[in-house]
Amino acid sequence: MNNEAIEEDETRVSDCAGRVVLIQDCVETSGAFLLHHLMKRKLSRESSEIVVFVAFAHPFYHYDRILKKLGCNLVTLSQKGRFIFFDMRKLDCLDEVGGGRTKSGLVELFHKIHKAAEVIASPETKICITIMIDDLSLVEVAAQGSSSYVIDFLRYCRTLTTEVGCTLILLNHEDIYSNSEESTLNLELEYLADIVMKAKPLATGLAADVHGQLTVLNKRSINEHGKIKKRIQNFQFKVKENSVEYFYSGSRT
Amino acid sequence: MAETMCRALRDGSLEGEHAPALTIKDTIRTAFGVEVFDHVLCYMASTILAQKSQSSGLVLVALDRSPSLYLNLLKSRGIDASDSYKWIRVLDCYTDPLGWKEGANVLSRRESLETLFKDVSDLDKLFDAVIQLGRGMVGQGKVRFCVAIDSASLMLRHASLSSVGSLINNLRSHDQVSSIFWLIHSDLHEIRATSVLEYMSSMVGSLEPIFQSSNEQRRNSENLLSIENDTREGKFIVRLKRRNGRVKVMCEEFHVEETGIKFLAVPSESEMVNQQILPKLQFNLQLSEKERNEKENVVLPFEHQGNGQTIQIYDGRRSLPLNKNDSTTSVSVLEKLQAESAQGKGEIHYLRDSDDELPDSDEDPDDDLDI
């Protein structure tokens, strides 16, 4: 079945430790469902992975409610230490001190993440850690528009992917950068990411059964035989109350 | 051509000249610069090991990827890394480029050939660190080493263009540096920055998509996921600057495979036109070699003129024959021409009947019309 093929592909996406996954969405189609989907996979009973969630957009209870419908209880998981939540909605990073800027907020945040990752990742236990950031544009807002500061932060987060084998999952909005020639944040992110997922509205217009389309670019996709696979794959999706359906375009009317 | 480029790096610099430098540049549409960088790195490593290269060591400034990844890469490409301490040093600007991990416990399981560098914005210090690492490896004196910088883009993020320029210039003019190469993502910077680095290098290898799209399309934000990006191929254009100022441009195609990047010679321009741009036609627009030779051998009507013979064109007014011989008539000319045609030459002759008849200029051509 189509869904199985896609699920298998997704598993491979979510299994790849040490990668950077970038989710890009737009106003018409939110990519948050991908974040929830990946979170659910990481926190499912079969896996023993740990999720470090850095929230800039929504509070804990927002995610708790959504994940409950998907079959995960974030409260119990965080008590067990499998879900670590950093509420960063009130972070303000730059303080003007005597003309010179002292950057503190994101450095501290990185220290927090780094410490958490180090505590979890000991050489004996091979636990995978996933770091999720729910809205990069709000990180930029917190950094008062300094995109280079945000990129420094992300590059530091990326060092954890090689040091302790973390996976880094980032959500960003694509359309807010479409006009500004100056901002290279999006481009830098695309260079940084190993996997880029783009959620867009259906190109052919509205449809009752299809909520949008998903394009996945896997820069280093190598299949089980060590051969290079196709880089780009297209799916369509339908977001349901407690699950998401993925299918190849044309397989639904 | 990638071969030529690599060989130039391998051969190193002449006494009193700047070291050859290579800029590898790519854009997000063909983001395979990393693969080219790896290719050059592995080539240099293998020639250093085989002692075919002028340099006897390699200093890698790792900004974009972790040092352990590079060491694994060399191993996976079959380069013997058992005594790598003798010929490679990695300056680790990846793990903690800005000193944010100060106070935090940086994992200390690093190998002796990696050196942590914590202040990328200070390029003078970086220069000293590179030279120190190189000297620590090959010793003082005349022995040279090669320098690789895996992302000039990241350097430009942390330091000004002039300081990056001066770093590269200092490295190139140092007596112990045999060659230097770096990678830059050109769309992250102003054109100015890329051109400055291109000026400072003796070779530029740029990766471009096989099919160029218009500016408008290129600016389209959908670029990364556009269909033409679903390929692992592209054009590799090498620009070599000779010492005398001559610039040579060469073009190749590349394919990225699981074992690395492969370069293929591009078919000649006319063949490319034939293969790629023109649709399949039922008739032939191109000439074969035989056809071209035959075409060149055809004598065109005007071509025999002045070909050792006197020019003879009968203009119908006896002007030419009159100059030579008064008694020559149109009939004799005709005979002469007939004799010539008997020799097998096909020619077209026109003889006007008579000079006496004047055109009826005073007649109204519409006289017979019944209006």
Side-chain angles (χ1 to χ4, degrees):
Chain A
M1 230 173 81
N2 271 341
N3 237 2
E4 273 171 22
I6 294 162
E7 288 273 306
E8 193 190 298
D9 212 79
E10 289 250 323
T11 317
R12 220 172 287 137
V13 165
S14 50
D15 277 349
C16 48
R19 293 218 181 173
V20 182
V21 181
L22 173 67
I23 303 169
Q24 289 184 322
D25 66 359
C26 53
V27 179
E28 295 87 4
T29 310
S30 162
F33 74 93
L34 283 168
L35 213 56
H36 306 147
H37 178 99
L38 290 171
M39 214 191 314
K40 179 196 144 191
R41 279 188 163 274
K42 301 278 173 190
L43 293 172
S44 68
R45 279 202 199 107
E46 296 88 58
S47 77
S48 57
E49 293 185 35
I50 292 177
V51 173
V52 178
F53 199 93
V54 186
F56 278 83
H58 298 288
F60 179 80
Y61 291 104
H62 170 84
Y63 292 105
D64 188 33
R65 273 188 206 111
I66 295 167
L67 268 284
K68 243 179 216 157
K69 291 211 166 171
L70 299 178
C72 287
N73 190 334
L74 290 188
V75 180
T76 30
L77 282 169
S78 51
Q79 279 163 359
K80 280 186 199 165
R82 282 193 59 202
F83 184 71
I84 299 164
F85 191 84
F86 292 127
D87 190 345
M88 288 292 140
R89 286 175 300 148
K90 296 205 173 66
L91 185 76
D92 191 7
C93 303
L94 296 178
D95 313 304
E96 296 280 341
V97 179
R101 280 175 156 182
T102 55
K103 295 171 178 176
S104 55
L106 289 183
V107 181
E108 268 169 34
L109 175 60
F110 173 71
H111 280 174
K112 270 189 192 175
I113 298 170
H114 190 198
K115 215 178 269 172
E118 267 192 333
V119 170
I120 303 160
S122 54
E124 301 91 53
T125 54
K126 288 208 164 180
I127 299 174
C128 287
I129 308 166
T130 305
I131 302 167
M132 290 183 164
I133 301 176
D134 69 352
D135 198 333
L136 281 183
S137 59
L138 288 174
V139 182
E140 204 184 352
V141 171
Q144 302 192 353
S146 163
S147 61
S148 85
Y149 186 24
V150 177
I151 292 162
D152 288 340
F153 169 70
L154 293 176
R155 285 206 166 261
Y156 264 96
C157 287
R158 195 176 75 138
T159 60
L160 298 179
T161 63
T162 43
E163 271 179 32
V164 287
C166 291
T167 307
L168 188 61
I169 299 176
L170 313 164
L171 174 68
N172 198 23
H173 308 304
E174 193 192 5
D175 41 3
I176 51 175
Y177 301 101
S178 55
N179 281 335
S180 57
E181 300 242 324
E182 297 281 302
S183 170
T184 51
L185 179 64
N186 231 359
L187 205 55
E188 291 258 12
L189 286 174
E190 285 176 358
Y191 274 116
L192 204 68
D194 299 303
I195 297 166
V196 183
M197 298 191 199
K198 245 178 226 202
K200 283 183 292 188
L202 202 60
T204 48
L206 292 175
D209 279 343
V210 185
H211 290 167
Q213 58 189 35
L214 189 66
T215 316
V216 181
L217 169 78
N218 198 342
K219 289 189 189 165
R220 286 186 288 162
S221 57
I222 292 171
N223 68 11
E224 57 271 24
H225 307 297
K227 286 269 180 341
I228 287 181
K229 285 197 311 179
K230 233 178 127 193
R231 294 179 84 204
I232 294 178
Q233 276 167 320
N234 282 299
F235 311 117
Q236 293 182 338
F237 61 85
K238 185 179 182 184
V239 185
K240 291 179 164 179
E241 194 59 24
N242 46 16
S243 66
V244 187
E245 274 182 36
Y246 302 93
F247 40 89
Y248 289 117
S249 54
S251 61
R252 295 285 166 94
T253 45
Chain B
M1 281 134 257
E3 187 68 33
T4 326
M5 182 183 89
C6 288
R7 254 186 267 135
L9 286 180
R10 181 195 69 187
D11 294 342
S13 61
L14 290 174
E15 197 61 50
E17 293 268 2
H18 275 184
L22 164 70
T23 301
I24 302 164
K25 64 166 187 173
D26 68 353
T27 60
I28 194 72
R29 294 193 72 227
T30 36
F32 297 110
V34 172
E35 273 79 9
V36 178
F37 183 84
D38 289 349
H39 175 85
V40 178
L41 185 75
C42 291
Y43 178 89
M44 287 309 288
S46 60
T47 54
I48 287 170
L49 263 182
Q51 297 185 330
K52 284 180 191 160
S53 163
Q54 186 193 39
S55 45
S56 42
L58 186 119
V59 178
L60 171 65
V61 184
L63 292 124
D64 188 36
R65 291 184 290 164
S66 91
S68 54
L69 191 143
Y70 283 110
L71 298 177
N72 290 338
L73 172 88
L74 291 176
K75 270 177 214 160
S76 71
R77 299 273 170 95
I79 291 160
D80 179 26
S82 54
D83 55 351
S84 49
Y85 190 72
K86 285 182 192 154
W87 58 271
I88 190 165
R89 289 287 186 287
V90 186
L91 188 65
D92 180 0
C93 303
Y94 164 82
T95 311
D96 192 8
L98 300 167
W100 285 18
K101 287 181 184 169
E102 207 82 48
N105 183 23
V106 177
L107 290 181
S108 54
R109 52 180 169 81
R110 52 188 56 256
E111 294 179 44
S112 51
L113 40 92
E114 296 171 25
T115 311
L116 191 64
F117 189 79
K118 285 193 168 194
D119 189 6
V120 178
S121 52
D122 189 347
L123 292 185
D124 291 336
K125 243 193 234 169
L126 186 84
F127 173 75
D128 291 341
V130 170
I131 296 301
Q132 212 179 334
L133 279 181
R135 281 194 176 145
M137 180 170 49
V138 299
Q140 299 267 9
K142 288 279 172 198
V143 192
R144 291 171 187 258
F145 58 90
C146 169
V147 180
I149 299 170
D150 76 349
S151 178
S153 295
L154 277 177
M155 257 184 195
L156 284 168
R157 282 199 53 229
H158 297 298
S160 67
L161 179 58
S162 58
S163 50
V164 173
S166 104
L167 169 82
I168 285 170
N169 210 13
N170 288 341
L171 283 173
R172 281 193 75 191
S173 51
H174 194 273
D175 341 313
Q176 279 193 281
V177 175
S178 76
S179 55
I180 172 168
F181 60 98
W182 59 84
L183 168 67
I184 185 166
H185 302 306
S186 58
D187 47 356
L188 287 177
H189 310 282
E190 298 170 56
I191 299 167
R192 191 172 76 101
T194 322
S195 350
V196 165
L197 291 187
E198 284 181 37
Y199 268 118
M200 302 193 80
S201 47
S202 53
M203 290 169 287
V204 181
S206 61
L207 291 95
E208 285 174 16
I210 289 187
F211 300 106
Q212 285 285 0
S213 54
S214 67
N215 275 344
E216 201 179 322
Q217 276 173 307
R218 209 172 299 156
R219 226 175 280 145
N220 186 349
S221 56
E222 304 278 310
N223 272 340
L224 183 68
L225 296 184
S226 58
I227 291 170
E228 65 258 41
N229 208 4
D230 189 16
T231 152
R232 290 171 190 276
E233 301 168 353
K235 267 193 296 188
F236 187 61
I237 296 168
V238 182
R239 212 163 54 220
L240 298 171
K241 237 182 309 182
R242 292 275 166 78
R243 206 170 290 121
N244 60 8
R246 192 185 149 207
V247 178
K248 199 174 167 192
V249 181
M250 294 175 293
C251 183
E252 246 178 353
E253 268 176 24
F254 67 83
H255 293 261
V256 178
E257 295 169 10
E258 66 262 42
T259 50
I261 194 162
K262 293 271 179 318
F263 296 97
L264 300 169
V266 179
S268 74
E269 199 70 21
S270 63
E271 276 175 59
M272 273 207 352
V273 168
N274 203 9
Q275 283 167 8
Q276 290 171 8
I277 298 170
L278 289 178
K280 289 259 178 243
L281 294 174
Q282 292 194 334
F283 45 88
N284 191 11
L285 283 180
Q286 242 66 35
L287 292 175
S288 71
E289 198 58 36
K290 185 174 166 257
E291 284 166 336
R292 190 174 295 120
N293 283 339
E294 281 171 354
K295 186 183 159 204
E296 276 162 9
N297 286 337
V298 172
V299 180
L300 295 175
F302 53 86
E303 270 186 356
H304 68 276
Q305 295 176 26
N307 201 9
Q309 303 166 16
T310 45
I311 304 167
Q312 288 193 342
I313 298 175
Y314 177 66
D315 64 355
R317 289 184 190 80
R318 297 183 184 172
S319 55
L320 266 175
L322 278 176
N323 288 342
K324 282 164 95 188
N325 187 356
D326 281 351
S327 65
T328 320
T329 60
S330 61
V331 178
S332 66
V333 172
L334 184 65
E335 277 168 357
K336 199 175 170 188
L337 289 174
Q338 273 169 345
E340 267 178 23
S341 67
Q343 288 167 8
K345 276 189 186 174
E347 284 173 65
I348 297 170
H349 304 286
Y350 168 69
L351 294 176
R352 202 165 143 183
D353 291 345
S354 159
D355 278 344
D356 305 337
E357 279 179 42
L358 287 168
D360 302 331
S361 53
D362 51 336
E363 246 179 63
D364 182 7
D366 296 334
D367 201 26
D368 52 342
L369 287 178
D370 182 26
I371 303 171

